[in-house]
Amino acid sequence: MSIDTLLAAAGSLEFWLLFLIVFAAFAIKALTGFGNTLVINGAFAFLKENRFTTPVEMVWNLPANAWLVWKERHHLDLRLVLPVCAFVAAGDILG
């Protein structure tokens, strides 16, 4: 993708609408701790194909969740968290 294509996309109404959707979704996550997936998936379904939703969300979701975990790391009980992580990883590999 060239710079000209990116600049042309940034001038479109759809770009700014998608930007506002993502901004609103993460504002909701900042206030409640969850909910960004519901907002992004629901709103993007009207504007884009489903294959665009997950990559956009992952780009913003991974750093946001990493920051949340780092900030709350003192409240985590590793005896509870590690088995859950192991089962999640096994489920990802198998399914």
Side-chain angles (χ1 to χ4, degrees), residues 25-72:
F26 280 94
I28 290 170
K29 182 181 180 108
L31 293 172
T32 65
F34 69 98
N36 59 313
T37 302
L38 300 171
V39 173
I40 289 176
N41 287 343
F44 270 42
F46 290 107
L47 300 171
K48 289 288 186 188
E49 297 175 33
N50 195 29
R51 64 188 174 118
F52 294 114
T53 305
T54 303
V56 167
E57 187 177 6
M58 287 305 296
V59 165
W60 296 103
N61 217 8
L62 186 62
N65 286 339
W67 176 73
L68 255 152
V69 168
W70 183 256
K71 189 175 88 168
E72 300 296 331

